[in-house]
């Protein structure tokens, strides 16, 4: 059992909901716009079984919207991303394109969302047990979110689930570049100690710096988790979180 802490900071995509389908559709549309093409897609039904499988396999490595450039270009050039080293090398090689693609990605998301907001929300199947825990934590004034998703998307999805989160308890891609930065901001706002906080994320690369800086972190394993990330967590003494009810 986890010792009760003052606040719990959730990552969003992959922890609260499975955003794979939405990111697949949005990143496809952004890549089409990037290449000055017009093949706009609205649903997952417009993707082949192979496209879905390939995207789901690599999606957990993405750490922010701009990095979908890496996936889309790799797919286009038939580059197989087998491990984190390959992904990191592509990120370094294509670094100059990531920020410009991020802007196009969010425009593509906004277009998809405006077209049919209800259908857009449905592209984010939520983890029911996580939402229930978040509701309890929110009532206890212990719920915070640090995400590289945009705040509008997070609020729409949470609001549909009956969770209203204060702006001061949410840091998004417009305010932070790393999860460590988010934790430091929250800690200063609250005037608390590092050991008064717990941060959970499904991408182990987001947990390494916070762990090394003295924060309590957990790698969530109820979504799509890479075996490689489990290994990285093990060698870095990062604990796994299989059931979020332990946070209550």
């Amino acid at each position: 059992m986890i010792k009760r802490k003052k606040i719990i900071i959730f990552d969003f995509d992959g922890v609260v909901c499975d955003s794979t389908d939405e990111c697949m559709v949005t990143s496809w549309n952004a890549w089409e716009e990037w290449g000055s093409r017009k093949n706009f897609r609205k649903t997952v039904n417009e993707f082949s079984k192979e496209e879905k499988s390939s995207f789901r396999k690599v999606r957990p490595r993405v750490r922010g919207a701009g990095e979908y450039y890496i996936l889309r270009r790799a797919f286009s050039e038939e580059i197989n991303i087998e491990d984190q080293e390959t992904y990191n090398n592509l990120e370094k090689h294509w670094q100059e394109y990531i920020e410009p693609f991020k802007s196009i990605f969010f425009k593509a998301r906004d277009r998809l969302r405006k077209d049919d907001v209800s259908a857009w929300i449905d592209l984010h199947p939520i983890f029911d047990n996580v939402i229930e825990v978040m509701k309890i934590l929110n009532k206890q004034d212990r719920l915070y979110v640090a995400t590289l998703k945009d705040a509008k998307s997070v609020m729409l999805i949470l609001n549909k689930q009956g969770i209203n989160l204060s702006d001061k308890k949410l840091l998004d891609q417009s305010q932070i570049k790393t999860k460590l930065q988010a934790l430091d901001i929250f800690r200063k706002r609250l005037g608390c100690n590092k050991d008064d906080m717990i941060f959970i994320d499904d991408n182990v690369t987001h947990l390494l710096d916070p762990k090394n800086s003295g924060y309590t972190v957990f790698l969530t394993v109820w979504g799509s988790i890479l075996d490689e990330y489990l290994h990285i967590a093990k060698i870095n003494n990062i604990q796994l979180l299989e059931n979020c009810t332990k946070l209550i």
Side-chain angles (χ1 to χ4, degrees):
M1 181 67 67
I2 297 171
K3 182 180 178 181
R4 184 183 177 95
K5 299 288 181 177
K6 190 171 184 179
I7 66 169
I8 311 294
I9 303 100
F10 285 71
D11 173 44
F12 199 78
D13 285 350
V15 174
V16 179
C17 65
D18 182 353
S19 64
T20 304
D21 287 347
E22 193 273 345
C23 291
M24 180 174 66
V25 178
T26 299
S27 65
W28 165 271
N29 291 331
W31 184 248
E32 288 293 293
E33 179 69 21
W34 182 272
S36 299
R37 297 177 295 271
K38 303 284 185 184
N39 190 14
F40 186 81
R41 295 180 178 180
K42 296 181 180 181
T43 71
V44 294
N45 295 331
E46 297 171 77
F47 293 82
S48 69
K49 183 177 180 180
E50 182 180 355
E51 285 178 309
K52 294 176 185 177
S53 177
S54 296
F55 190 86
R56 187 165 288 275
K57 179 181 178 181
V58 187
R59 159 67 183 87
R61 299 192 187 280
V62 175
R63 292 167 291 213
E67 291 188 16
Y68 284 104
Y69 176 89
I70 300 170
L71 268 61
R72 285 299 165 194
R73 182 165 175 179
F75 292 153
S76 177
E77 298 182 10
E78 298 184 349
I79 298 172
N80 187 18
I81 301 176
E82 297 180 347
D83 51 35
Q84 192 65 34
E85 183 179 3
T86 300
Y87 184 88
N88 291 344
N89 286 337
L90 291 176
E91 180 192 6
K92 292 177 183 177
H93 189 62
W94 295 337
Q95 186 64 43
E96 65 183 294
Y97 306 111
I98 291 176
E99 197 64 26
F101 191 78
K102 175 181 175 181
S103 177
I104 294 175
F105 180 94
F106 283 122
K107 288 180 181 177
R109 171 172 286 166
D110 192 52
R111 177 183 173 184
L112 189 66
R113 187 167 50 209
K114 286 180 178 179
D115 185 71
D116 188 336
V117 67
S118 181
W120 176 84
I121 291 176
D122 288 343
L123 287 172
H124 302 78
I126 56 116
F127 299 115
D128 291 324
N129 60 327
V130 177
I131 287 294
E132 292 309 310
V133 168
M134 292 179 79
K135 288 179 179 178
I136 294 170
L137 292 172
N138 198 32
K139 289 180 180 179
Q140 296 174 347
D141 199 29
R142 299 170 59 209
L143 176 64
Y144 289 74
V145 173
T147 178
L148 295 181
K149 201 178 188 70
D150 59 292
K152 182 176 181 179
S153 293
V154 173
M155 291 299 195
L156 283 170
I157 295 167
L158 288 181
N159 288 347
K160 185 173 182 179
Q161 298 302 322
I163 297 176
N164 296 307
L165 198 65
S166 163
D167 290 342
K168 293 183 179 179
K169 295 183 177 182
L170 169 63
L171 290 172
D172 77 340
Q173 57 83 29
S174 69
Q175 300 162 289
I176 58 170
K177 292 188 179 297
T178 69
K179 300 301 177 64
L180 176 58
Q181 182 185 9
L183 299 183
D184 287 340
I185 291 172
F186 281 142
R187 180 170 56 84
K188 290 176 182 177
R189 282 183 182 177
L190 291 164
C192 64
N193 298 320
K194 291 181 179 179
D195 59 4
D196 291 321
M197 308 165 70
I198 288 177
F199 174 53
I200 65 173
D201 201 303
D202 68 318
N203 188 322
V204 74
T205 65
H206 282 151
L207 298 172
L208 297 175
D209 285 344
K211 172 71 163 54
N212 292 334
S213 296
Y215 286 101
T216 301
V217 302
F218 287 86
L219 177 66
T220 62
V221 295
W222 50 74
S224 299
I225 187 71
L226 300 171
D227 288 341
E228 183 183 354
Y229 282 3
L230 295 175
H231 176 69
I232 294 173
K234 183 177 181 179
I235 63 177
N236 285 278
N237 295 315
I238 292 175
Q239 298 181 67
L240 305 183
L241 186 63
E242 298 180 0
N243 187 347
C244 67
T245 58
K246 294 181 178 180
L247 297 169
I248 301 173

